[in-house]
Amino acid sequence: MTRPPKGSTAPPPGTGAPALPAVPPQPRPLPPQRTGGAPAGPPPAEPRRTAFAEGVDRLRAAAVTEPGRLRIIGALLAALVVAFGAVTAWQMNARSQAADDVLTRSQPLTSDAADIYRSLADANTAASSGFLAGGQETKASRDRYEKGIRTAAEGLVTAAANSDADSPSAATITELNRLLPEYKGLIERARTYNRQGFPVGGAYLRYANEKMQKDMLPAAEDLYKKENQRLRADYADARPYPWAALALGVLALAALAWAQHRNYRRTNRVLNHGLVAATATATIVMLWLIVGHSVARSNLGDSYDHGVRSLDVLHDARIASLKARGNENLTLVARGAETKKVGDETFDAYDFDFGKNMDTLGKGLAEAERLADDEAGERPVAAANGNMAEWKKRHASAREQDESGNYQQALDLVIGGKGATVECFDGVDTSLAAAIEHEEREFEQAAGDGLDAMGYLPQGAGVLAGLGAAGALLGIGRRLSEYR
C-alpha cells in the first residue's frame, strides 16, 4: 500500500474521490474609500445653458449662411434707423420746448420783473415830484404815482402765479408784497404833513425813499436777476447741437451704404429699392435736423444778441434815469439835510447820487447805441442821448440857483414848465420806452423764427424713421425671398 506524500491531504478512507489541490484563502475586497466625508454618488450633471448663450449659438450658426447673415443685417439696419429717429425726436423736442419757454415764458417774466423794478422807481420819482409841488400837486403827478404802484402790484401777482411756492423768487415776491403797503403808508403821511405845511413831511418822504432804495429796489433787482438766470438757462437748453442724433445719423447712413455696396458685390444689382428708400428717409431726417437746428440756433442767437442783451441795457438805462430824477427831486426836498463825505469833500447826498445815476445812464445809452442793429433802434437811443445832455445842463443851472439861495427859481427849473429838467427826463423816459418796445418786437420775431425752424421736426423724424426701418426690412426681405 502506497502512502500519500507527506503534507498532502488525502480523502477519508473508503471515499475513493481523487485528491484536490489546496486553495489558499483569498483576501476580502475593501469597501470604497470616502473622500472628505461625503458619500459617493453619481457624477455631477453639466450646468444648464442660459437663453443668452443658446441665442448666441443660434446666431453664430445662422451667420455661416447667407440667409442668416441677411436677417442679421436687416435687423441691425432697422434698429439703427429707428434709434436715429427716436433720438432725433427726443433731442429736438427738448430743444423746441426750451425755445418755446424762451419766447412765451422766461423772457416775458424777465420783462415783467424789470417792469416791477421800473414801476417802483417811477412811483418813487412821482411821489417826490408831487411833494415838491406842495399843496399844489398836479393830477398828472398823482396819477403817475398811482400807476406805478398799481403796475408793480399787478406784476407781483403775475410773478407769484408763475413761480414755485418754495423757490427763491417766491420768497422775494412775498417780501415785496410786505414792503409795498408800508411804503405807501409812509408816502401818504408825507403828503398829509406836506399839505399842512409841517416840515416833518420831508422826513417821512426821505424815510420812504430810504425804504425804497435800500429794501424794495434791491429785492426787485434780485427778482429780475433770478428771472434772467432762468431765461439764460432756457437758452442754454435750446441752443446746443444734438450730437447724439447727429452721430446716430452718420452711423445709420454709413451702415445703409455698406449694406447696398455688399448687395451690389454679391448680386451685381445696382439698386435695392427698399434700401434706397431707407437711405432716402434717413438722409431727409439728417438734412432736416442739420438745417432746422442751424436756422433755429442762428435765430435764437439773434434774439439774444439783438433782443435780450439790448433789453437788459435799456431797462438798466431807464431805471438809472428814474433814480436820477428821484435824487434830483430829493435834493430840493432835503435842502442839504443829507450829506456824503468823499475824501476831504462833503457833498449833498442826493446830488452826489444823481451824478452817479447820470453816469450809469450815459454808459447804458452808449452800449444800447452799439447794440442797435437798425435805424429804428438807433433813433430813440440817439434822442435819449440828446435829452440827457440837455438835462445835465439844466440840472447844473438849477443847482447854481439853489446854492445861491434862490430856492423857488431852482424849483421852477426842476418841476416847472418849459425849460425845466422834467422835460428832459420825460424825453429820456419816452425815448427809452420806444426803444424797449422796438427791441421786444425784434426779440419776438427772431425767437419766433427760431421756434418755427424746429416745428414738426420731432414728429417728422419719428415718422420718417419708421418708414426707413420698414424700407430696410423690405429690401432685405426681397433678397431673402430669392433663397426660398
Side-chain angles (χ1 to χ4, degrees):
M1 180 176 179
T2 305
R3 293 182 179 180
K6 188 176 179 179
S8 64
T9 303
T15 59
L20 298 174
V23 179
Q26 298 294 325
R28 298 179 61 185
L30 296 176
Q33 299 294 324
R34 297 181 180 180
T35 303
E46 293 185 3
R48 184 176 180 182
R49 301 193 49 153
T50 63
F52 177 76
E54 293 178 356
V56 170
D57 286 345
R58 285 196 296 269
L59 187 64
R60 191 176 298 161
V64 300
T65 65
E66 182 60 14
R69 293 192 192 99
L70 289 173
R71 290 188 181 93
I72 295 171
I73 291 171
L76 290 177
L77 290 176
L80 275 175
V81 174
V82 169
F84 171 44
V87 173
T88 299
W90 165 56
Q91 289 196 308
M92 295 312 299
N93 183 67
R95 283 156 178 75
S96 179
Q97 184 60 50
D100 184 69
D101 286 342
V102 165
L103 179 62
T104 63
R105 182 178 173 85
S106 51
Q107 200 285 325
L109 287 176
T110 301
S111 291
D112 288 345
D115 283 342
I116 291 172
Y117 193 113
R118 183 195 58 76
S119 298
L120 291 173
D122 195 15
N124 195 51
T125 299
S128 61
S129 297
F131 188 91
L132 284 175
Q136 306 299 319
E137 180 181 8
T138 63
K139 183 177 183 301
S141 175
R142 179 74 182 184
D143 289 345
R144 184 165 186 166
Y145 166 79
E146 294 292 347
K147 180 182 178 182
I149 293 295
R150 184 171 60 253
T151 302
E154 291 172 353
L156 289 172
V157 171
T158 302
N162 289 280
S163 62
D164 298 330
D166 57 348
S167 65
S169 295
T172 304
I173 293 168
T174 302
E175 178 68 8
L176 283 170
N177 277 322
R178 181 185 67 81
L179 291 170
L180 191 58
E182 295 180 7
Y183 172 80
K184 289 176 63 180
L186 291 171
I187 292 296
E188 292 307 320
R189 289 186 182 183
R191 281 195 172 121
T192 300
Y193 287 123
N194 188 43
R195 283 194 296 267
Q196 296 173 1
F198 295 149
V200 73
Y204 272 105
L205 183 66
R206 292 195 299 274
Y207 182 43
N209 178 73
E210 184 178 359
K211 182 177 286 291
M212 175 65 73
Q213 299 292 340
K214 293 185 176 180
D215 296 331
M216 298 178 70
L217 289 182
E221 184 178 11
D222 182 61
L223 178 63
Y224 173 69
K225 288 180 177 178
K226 287 183 173 67
E227 295 299 339
N228 227 329
Q229 288 172 357
R230 181 158 64 170
L231 173 61
R232 282 163 172 74
D234 287 337
Y235 267 109
D237 291 338
R239 296 187 62 191
Y241 286 105
W243 292 116
L246 291 171
L248 278 171
V250 171
L251 186 60
L253 288 172
L256 286 166
W258 171 82
Q260 291 178 87
H261 180 67
R262 181 183 185 275
N263 182 63
Y264 169 73
R265 290 183 60 188
R266 290 178 176 269
T267 65
N268 207 29
R269 294 171 185 166
V270 177
L271 297 177
N272 178 291
H273 294 164
L275 294 178
V276 169
T279 304
T281 56
T283 302
I284 291 171
V285 174
M286 191 70 168
L287 291 175
W288 194 358
L289 173 63
I290 293 172
V291 175
H293 184 267
S294 297
V295 172
R297 181 183 171 87
S298 175
N299 284 320
L300 287 172
D302 287 343
S303 74
Y304 183 82
D305 292 334
H306 303 296
V308 173
R309 288 179 61 193
S310 296
L311 285 170
D312 287 346
V313 171
L314 290 169
H315 281 307
D316 290 343
R318 195 176 185 191
I319 289 166
S321 72
L322 289 165
K323 285 184 175 181
R325 180 60 181 172
N327 283 316
E328 183 178 46
N329 292 337
L330 286 167
T331 302
L332 295 177
V333 172
R335 304 184 72 171
E338 300 286 341
T339 60
K340 179 177 291 186
K341 192 169 184 179
V342 180
D344 296 332
E345 296 186 66
T346 301
F347 300 91
D348 182 286
Y350 296 114
D351 191 49
F352 182 82
D353 289 341
F354 169 84
K356 291 175 62 177
N357 298 145
M358 293 300 281
D359 289 342
T360 302
L361 174 60
K363 292 176 182 176
L365 290 177
E367 181 67 9
E369 193 169 12
R370 186 184 71 82
L371 291 173
D373 59 342
D374 57 10
E375 185 180 353
E378 293 173 356
R379 193 183 309 114
V381 176
N385 258 319
N387 280 296
M388 180 191 66
E390 182 64 24
W391 186 359
K392 288 181 177 180
K393 294 177 183 177
R394 295 183 185 183
H395 175 78
S397 299
R399 292 306 303 143
E400 287 179 6
Q401 293 294 334
D402 188 34
E403 290 171 358
S404 300
N406 301 321
Y407 179 78
Q408 187 58 48
Q409 287 85 341
L411 189 63
D412 290 342
L413 285 172
V414 172
I415 65 170
K418 187 174 179 60
T421 60
V422 65
E423 284 186 329
C424 301
F425 163 70
D426 287 340
V428 170
D429 191 65
T430 301
S431 297
L432 288 175
I436 288 173
E437 184 178 355
H438 170 74
E439 295 301 333
E440 284 181 342
R441 288 196 301 269
E442 292 279 297
F443 163 80
E444 291 174 0
Q445 180 66 42
D449 290 342
L451 179 60
D452 292 342
M454 292 186 283
Y456 302 107
L457 178 51
Q459 299 88 339
V463 172
L464 288 172
L467 293 175
L473 292 175
L474 288 173
I476 296 298
R478 182 67 179 268
R479 283 282 293 119
L480 281 171
S481 66
E482 298 173 1
Y483 288 90
R484 298 191 182 101

